[in-house]
Amino acid sequence: MKPARNLVFILALGLLASIAFTRSLPDSPLALIHAAVHTAVGPPLQNATIIVAEGKIKDVGVSVNVPAGAETLDLAGKVVIPGLIDIHSHIGTFGLTSDDANESPMPVGPENMALDALHLDLVDWAEAVTGGVTTVVTGPGSGERLGGQSITIKTFGADLNKRILRDRGEAKMAVNANNLSNIPLIRSTFYKAQEYMKAWDRYEAGDKKGPAPKRDLGMDALVKVLKREVRVRCHIHYASDMMTILRLKDEFGFDLTFEHSTEAYKIANEIAKRNVGCVVLPLGTRFGVSEDVLRGNAILDKAGVKIVMHTDHPVAQEKWLRLNAIISMRYGLPEDAALKAITINPAELARVNSRVGSIEPGKDADLVILNGPWFEPKSRVDLVFVDGVRAYDRSRQEEK
Amino acid sequence: MFEHIDGIGTFLAWSATAGLERSVARSKLREMRAAASCRTPKLACVIVVLLLSASAAHAQTTVAIKGGTVLTMAGPAIENGTVLIRDRKIAAVGTSVEIPAGAAIIDATGKYVMPGLVDAMTYYGIRPFATNDLSSPVTPQNRIIEAYYPFGEFMRGKGGIERDVELLEGGVTTIYIAPGSRQVIGGQGAVVKTNGRDYDSMIVREPAAIDMTIGDIAKTSPANPPRAGIAALIRKTLVEAQEFDRALLNFNRKSEEEKKTAQEPKRDPAKEAIVKLLHRQVPARIEAEALGDILAAIRIKDEFGIDVTIDGGVGAWKARDMLAQKKISVVLAPTSYPYLSNYGVSWIPELYNETNDYNAALLLKAGVIIAVGSFGSGNGFEGRGYQGRWLLLEAGLLTAYGLSEQDALKTVTINAAKILGVDGRVGSLEAGKDADVIVLDGPPTRIRTWVERVYMDGAPVYVREKDVPAERDLLR
C-alpha cells in the first residue's frame, strides 16, 4: 500500500480518536471567515463568514458576527462549497476483489438492503473524502431487473449509526434494451404489489379482523414505491427505454430518477414534463460518445430537468465526482447548475436535503474548502468538514 | 470494389513505410492504379477524387499567426509573438518576425499558440479487432501500421484522408499507435499524424518501437504464460534473435566463394524486427505497471543492452531514481483513470495499491523524462480517437498534482515527441519543424478553453465554430 494512502488511513484513525476526545468537551463554535462561499442555493458570497457549532451550520453570510470564544479559520483566497453528494455509487459494496452489489441469480430482489452488505473498512471511503465527497447513495448494481435498496450514508464519521442518513429505500431497477421480456416482468411485479397493498389496506381498514395477509419483504419494499415513500432508480441508456419507463410511471405513479441517462437529452421535454430527475455522465465520458451527448446535460438543464452527476464508483473513482460537473461546464452547463448537480440536486432527489446539500443554517456542517475556483481541474480540495469535524486536511496528509 | 480500395489502402500503408524503397513503391503504385483503371473505370475515378481533394486541401501557403501568447515548449512563453509557417514547416517564431507580403495573417491576439499535441500511447484509428493477436503471445513481425485507418467510416466518405474531429478538437496532431497490450510482444508500433495531405505523409516513424507487455495486463490473455514466464519468453525471443543476427553476420562475412556452399540464414520477419531492437534502431515499449514488473523490464534492458520505455508505470515512482540513472523514460496513463480512460489497471487490486497521484511529479523531480498518453482506444466502428479530446485536461490535472504548467504541457508535447524519437519534427514550435500548430482561446489547461484552430503541415485542418454554447444545440 502506498505511503500516502496509508497515511490518510492512519491519520483518519487518529482523527477518530481525537474526535472521541474532543467530543467529550463542550463544543466551541468554529468561524470560517473571509471565504468565497457558494451555498448552492443562492448567489456566491464574497468575504463571507460561516459559523459552525455542534456539527451544524449555525449561520452564513457577509455580515455574520463571530461569537465570542469561537475558533476562527481564515479562508482568504479560498473557496467554500457544500460537501459533495454522489447519488449513484457502489462504494462499499464493490470491493476491489469482491462484488456484493449484484445478487445475480435473482432477477427480482427488492428486499435486499445494501446496508447488509456494506464494507466499511475500504480505503475508498477516505479517498472519497479527499475529493470532497461527503455523502453517497450507494447500493445495488444493475444485475437484477428489480434490484435492492440503497443506503444514503456519509463517507466519514466515527459512529456508523450517525453516518447513515437513510438506511433503506430507492428501489433499483435496471432496464437493458436487449430483452423485451424485462418490461412485462417489471409490470406484473407492480401488479402483484398493487394487489398486496390493497390486501393489507383492506386488512388495516377492517381493524385487523380475520387472517393477516402473508408478509412478503419484497412486496413491502414495492408498496413503499407505490406510495411514493421511496423513489425508483432506473439504470437506463436508451431514449426508447426511457419512454417505456415513463409509461410505467404514468401507469403506476411512482417517483423516478433515470440513472446514467445517456440519451435523456433526446427526450428532454418528455422527461421535464414528468418531473423525473436524471443522473448523468461518467460512462459517457469514458466511452466514445459524441459531443452531443456531452452537451446533453446543458440541454436537460435548459429544459428544466433536475440533473445530478454520479461516479458509479468503482466505474469512476469516487474522488472524481467534481470532475463530472467540471466537464459539464465545458460543454455548456452554467456554473451554478453544475454545482447544484453535485450538491443540492442529489440531496433533494435522495430526500436528504433537510440535512445536507447546501450551506444554510440548520444543515449539517459538511463543507469543502478549495484553493481556487471549484471548477478548475487545477484547484485542489484543501479541507473537508463532515458534521463540523475536520475529516481531511491536505496540508497535514499530503506527501511532499 | 471496396476490397480493391482496401487493398490499395494496405498497399499504400506498406509502401509508405518501406523507407528506402519508397520511390520504387510509388512507381509500383502508379502501375497498380493504371492496371486498376483499365479494369474498373469507377475505381480510377475514386482514386482521382481522392488525390485531388487531398492536394487541394493542402496547397502550399505562407501563414503568420500573430499577436498570441506563444508556448513554444522549447523555452519560456513568448508574449505577443508570431509563428510564421511556410512550405509546411515553421519558418520562424518570435516577437520580431518579419511577415512576408502575401502571407495569410491570423490574428491570435488574446489567444494561446502552441505545438500540436503528441499523444504518446494510443490505439486510435485502428481497424476493429486489429490489435492483439491473442492466438500467439509473441508476434514481433506484426506492424500496427497495417491497420491504421484514417479514412473515416468504412463504406462512407468522400475519399482521401478524413478528419477525426474528436482528435483535432483536442488538438492532437501526432500519435503513437500500438499493436495492443495483451500480447507479450505484440509487434511494431508506429508514430503517425492524425491528418495529412495523403497517407504517405502521415507516417512519421515506422517501426517506432517493439511493443511489449509484462505483468497483470499480459496475464489477461489465455495464450500467455504466467508472470515469470512472460519475462522469460521475452528473454527467449531476444536470445533467438541474437543467434539469428550472429548467423547472418557470420554468413555475410564469408567470401563469395564460401557463400556458395554455406547455408544462408532464412529470412524471418519476426527475428528481423527484434534485431532492430538489439541494434538500438528502435526501443522496446514495455507496458509494466507494478514495481516488480518495472524492475523486470529494467533487468531485460540491462541484460540485452536495448533501449526501453516504460508504459503505464503505475509503480514507477517507487523506482524513480533507478529509472533516471538508466535513462528510461515513462509514458504514464492518465491521472484521472479510470475516469476518462478505458485503462483497466484500477480493477487490479495490487496495482491500485501502488497508485500515486504524484507519480508524474516524483518521476520528474528525479530526472525521468515523462509523457502522459491517453491509452485511448475509441470504441467506434473504425476505432476513432474519441478520447483525444481529454489530453489537455490531463495536463491540467497534472498541474493539480505537483507539476508546473510548462512541465505539464511538455508531457503532451515535446517530451512525448522525445520519447517517440520524433522531436526533430514535432513537439515544439521551432524553425524547421513541421508546422503542426494549435491556437487556443485561453490558457491551455483551463476547463473552458477550446482549441480554435489546428494547422497540420501548414494547412488548416480544423476551425472551431465560433461560440458553441448550448444554445446552438437547442435550435435543433
Side-chain angles (χ1 to χ4, degrees):
Chain A
M1 186 175 275
K2 75 173 189 188
R5 198 176 276 130
N6 251 340
L7 206 61
V8 170
F9 193 64
I10 291 163
L11 283 167
L13 284 178
L15 266 171
L16 296 190
S18 65
I19 294 155
F21 179 66
T22 51
R23 278 286 170 248
S24 63
L25 298 169
D27 273 326
S28 68
L30 173 67
L32 310 177
I33 57 171
H34 303 144
V37 179
H38 299 263
T39 62
V41 288
L45 309 170
Q46 297 304 326
N47 199 14
T49 301
I50 303 171
I51 308 294
V52 171
E54 291 151 356
K56 298 281 180 188
I57 296 162
K58 292 292 172 195
D59 209 348
V60 55
V62 287
S63 51
V64 168
N65 292 323
V66 175
E71 181 197 340
T72 57
L73 188 59
D74 191 336
L75 298 180
K78 310 269 186 188
V79 172
V80 186
I81 57 176
L84 307 184
I85 302 171
D86 186 355
I87 201 170
H88 183 128
S89 174
H90 303 290
I91 189 169
T93 65
F94 274 111
L96 277 164
T97 48
S98 66
D99 170 6
D100 287 326
N102 289 307
E103 310 281 336
S104 287
M106 298 174 66
V108 179
E111 67 273 30
N112 296 335
M113 286 166 57
L115 177 58
D116 294 328
L118 205 60
H119 299 284
L120 288 160
D121 52 350
L122 298 175
V123 70
D124 304 28
W125 295 98
E127 285 227 321
V129 178
T130 69
V133 179
T134 56
T135 299
V136 294
V137 180
T138 184
S142 304
E144 302 105 306
R145 302 288 79 76
L146 263 171
Q149 304 178 47
S150 37
I151 176 174
T152 306
I153 185 171
K154 299 245 176 135
T155 51
F156 176 89
D159 184 335
L160 173 62
N161 287 325
K162 281 188 183 158
R163 277 172 66 181
I164 297 171
L165 292 166
R166 282 166 71 90
D167 68 353
R168 67 190 76 196
E170 284 101 20
K172 181 76 187 272
M173 196 191 277
V175 179
N176 299 305
N178 53 6
N179 192 343
L180 276 181
S181 302
N182 290 341
I183 309 305
L185 179 64
I186 293 171
R187 181 172 271 118
S188 53
T189 307
F190 273 117
Y191 287 150
K192 257 170 73 183
Q194 280 179 328
E195 286 158 19
Y196 179 85
M197 181 169 74
K198 272 185 211 146
W200 272 97
D201 284 352
R202 271 197 302 272
Y203 173 69
E204 306 270 343
D207 295 331
K208 303 188 177 176
K209 287 168 197 154
K214 204 170 170 227
R215 276 288 296 280
D216 180 321
L217 294 174
M219 288 296 129
D220 282 348
L222 285 180
V223 165
K224 284 189 179 158
V225 170
L226 289 172
K227 291 188 169 170
R228 302 175 68 183
E229 289 166 21
V230 300
R231 78 181 202 280
V232 171
R233 312 169 61 201
C234 186
H235 157 114
I236 202 155
H237 294 285
Y238 281 74
S240 56
D241 283 348
M242 290 177 195
M243 288 313 304
T244 299
I245 299 301
L246 290 178
R247 280 191 291 272
L248 280 174
K249 175 186 161 61
D250 291 347
E251 185 177 342
F252 295 102
F254 48 76
D255 281 352
L256 175 66
T257 53
F258 286 142
E259 315 262 325
H260 312 312
S261 315
T262 309
E263 288 194 330
Y265 70 99
K266 294 185 176 175
I267 50 167
N269 291 334
E270 291 86 334
I271 293 172
K273 203 162 66 186
R274 291 172 172 90
N275 206 16
V276 171
C278 284
V279 177
V280 292
L281 216 59
L283 276 172
T285 51
R286 276 181 63 208
F287 294 99
V289 295
S290 71
E291 194 175 320
D292 291 327
V293 174
L294 295 166
R295 291 193 174 274
N297 292 350
I299 293 169
L300 288 166
D301 178 62
K302 194 99 176 182
V305 176
K306 192 170 282 177
I307 56 167
V308 177
M309 311 292 166
H310 72 306
T311 65
D312 208 7
H313 180 100
V315 173
Q317 282 163 300
E318 195 63 71
K319 68 173 177 183
W320 293 121
L321 178 65
R322 188 169 60 99
L323 202 49
N324 277 303
I326 291 176
I327 285 171
S328 300
M329 276 178 68
R330 177 167 173 82
Y331 292 97
L333 192 65
E335 183 191 332
D336 61 331
L339 183 63
K340 282 180 185 218
I342 48 176
T343 54
I344 190 67
N345 288 1
E348 285 175 8
L349 289 181
R351 302 183 187 183
V352 289
N353 54 327
S354 64
R355 290 270 310 271
V356 295
S358 61
I359 302 177
E360 290 178 278
K363 287 204 178 181
D364 294 2
D366 297 352
L367 303 166
V368 177
I369 290 108
L370 299 112
N371 64 357
W374 70 267
F375 51 82
E376 286 297 349
K378 187 177 185 165
S379 302
R380 289 291 301 275
V381 172
D382 276 350
L383 267 175
V384 179
F385 288 92
V386 177
D387 295 323
V389 176
R390 205 178 285 228
Y392 172 65
D393 183 342
R394 187 160 73 97
S395 66
R396 291 186 196 173
Q397 297 175 15
E398 191 150 281
E399 195 173 356
K400 293 292 177 206
Chain B
M1 179 181 162
F2 288 103
E3 281 82 354
H4 285 276
I5 292 176
D6 201 38
I8 287 182
T10 311
F11 182 75
L12 272 168
W14 176 82
S15 70
T17 59
L20 287 174
E21 287 82 32
R22 188 171 290 186
S23 56
V24 180
R26 285 228 174 93
S27 64
K28 273 187 188 164
L29 182 60
R30 274 196 295 273
E31 284 168 30
M32 200 167 154
R33 279 175 189 152
S37 66
C38 293
R39 282 203 308 274
T40 53
K42 260 188 200 167
L43 180 61
C45 288
V46 169
I47 289 167
V48 167
V49 168
L50 184 151
L51 292 172
L52 280 178
S53 62
S55 59
H58 290 267
Q60 290 186 11
T61 46
T62 303
V63 180
I65 303 169
K66 209 183 123 181
T69 302
V70 183
L71 309 173
T72 66
M73 296 294 121
I78 301 171
E79 297 294 338
N80 195 13
T82 298
V83 178
L84 186 68
I85 297 170
R86 192 163 47 207
D87 298 342
R88 297 173 184 153
K89 297 283 179 187
I90 295 166
V93 182
T95 47
S96 52
V97 173
E98 201 177 310
I99 299 170
I105 293 175
I106 304 294
D107 183 10
T109 307
K111 319 237 181 236
Y112 284 70
V113 184
M114 65 181 289
L117 305 187
V118 181
D119 191 337
M121 186 69 195
T122 80
Y123 310 96
Y124 291 152
I126 313 290
R127 278 180 50 187
F129 315 114
T131 56
N132 290 319
D133 175 3
L134 294 183
S135 63
S136 168
V138 176
T139 56
Q141 68 275 25
N142 288 359
R143 300 160 70 185
I144 196 59
I145 197 71
E146 323 282 15
Y148 187 47
Y149 187 94
F151 306 110
E153 275 182 66
F154 181 52
M155 301 206 288
R156 298 269 191 288
K158 294 185 181 77
I161 305 303
E162 271 202 21
R163 303 188 314 154
D164 184 332
V165 175
E166 276 92 355
L167 274 180
L168 295 176
E169 175 194 306
V172 180
T173 54
T174 302
I175 55 178
Y176 174 79
I177 49 176
S181 62
R182 294 182 66 198
Q183 289 176 273
V184 176
I185 302 181
Q188 304 165 44
V191 180
V192 295
K193 297 265 182 106
T194 55
N195 201 295
R197 61 188 180 278
D198 57 30
Y199 195 113
D200 290 331
S201 70
M202 290 169 74
I203 296 159
V204 185
R205 189 178 182 207
E206 201 286 331
I210 306 294
D211 219 81
M212 307 186 186
T213 309
I214 56 180
D216 296 279
I217 292 174
K219 277 173 68 184
T220 61
S221 168
N224 294 349
R227 204 179 211 101
I230 289 169
L233 189 54
I234 293 174
R235 285 195 179 89
K236 179 169 168 273
T237 309
L238 293 178
V239 165
E240 283 169 6
Q242 279 178 331
E243 285 165 359
F244 174 82
D245 192 28
R246 266 198 298 274
L248 203 61
L249 197 67
N250 285 338
F251 180 80
N252 287 338
R253 275 193 191 134
K254 290 182 197 299
S255 67
E256 290 306 314
E257 203 53 41
E258 287 169 322
K259 277 184 184 169
K260 280 177 188 163
T261 52
Q263 177 86 33
E264 181 173 4
K266 287 204 176 79
R267 293 289 303 266
D268 185 329
K271 293 200 175 73
E272 284 168 21
I274 299 291
V275 165
K276 284 186 187 159
L277 175 64
L278 294 171
H279 290 182
R280 298 178 65 188
Q281 291 162 343
V282 294
R285 297 274 305 255
I286 305 184
E287 179 156 0
E289 307 290 357
L291 175 65
D293 300 323
I294 292 166
L295 295 178
I298 295 174
R299 281 192 294 275
I300 290 170
K301 172 194 164 60
D302 287 346
E303 287 163 29
F304 293 90
I306 58 174
D307 293 327
V308 163
T309 298
I310 300 292
D311 286 332
V314 166
W317 59 285
K318 294 184 174 189
R320 55 191 182 272
D321 291 330
M322 194 190 278
L323 291 166
Q325 185 214 327
K326 292 178 186 289
K327 297 198 180 343
I328 299 174
S329 306
V330 181
V331 178
L332 296 166
T335 308
S336 70
Y337 76 82
Y339 194 89
L340 297 176
S341 155
N342 294 327
Y343 194 58
V345 302
S346 58
W347 298 88
I348 302 166
E350 293 82 359
L351 285 183
Y352 190 78
N353 289 336
E354 288 192 16
T355 58
N356 183 343
D357 291 333
Y358 287 84
N359 200 0
L362 290 167
L363 287 166
L364 202 68
K365 207 171 151 195
V368 180
I369 296 181
I370 55 164
V372 172
S374 68
F375 288 64
S377 57
N379 287 269
F381 172 68
E382 297 298 351
R384 295 170 68 184
Y386 291 111
Q387 288 158 3
R389 56 162 81 98
W390 306 126
L391 204 56
L392 274 176
L393 175 54
E394 286 304 332
L397 284 174
L398 286 181
T399 64
Y401 292 98
L403 261 66
S404 70
E405 192 94 353
Q406 171 91 342
D407 282 338
L409 292 175
K410 277 183 170 181
T411 67
V412 293
T413 54
I414 188 64
N415 284 359
K418 276 182 187 161
I419 290 173
L420 297 178
V422 295
D423 52 317
R425 280 189 55 189
V426 299
S428 61
L429 297 180
E430 291 176 274
K433 285 201 177 184
D434 292 5
D436 297 350
V437 185
I438 61 177
V439 181
L440 303 108
D441 63 1
T445 58
R446 295 267 175 83
I447 193 65
R448 280 182 290 192
T449 293
W450 290 91
V451 172
E452 281 191 346
R453 290 165 185 274
V454 179
Y455 290 86
M456 286 184 68
D457 297 323
V461 293
Y462 174 82
V463 179
R464 188 167 182 85
E465 284 175 56
K466 276 280 162 208
D467 298 315
V468 245
E471 279 76 12
R472 184 196 70 171
D473 305 280
L474 297 174
L475 295 173
R476 64 183 73 230

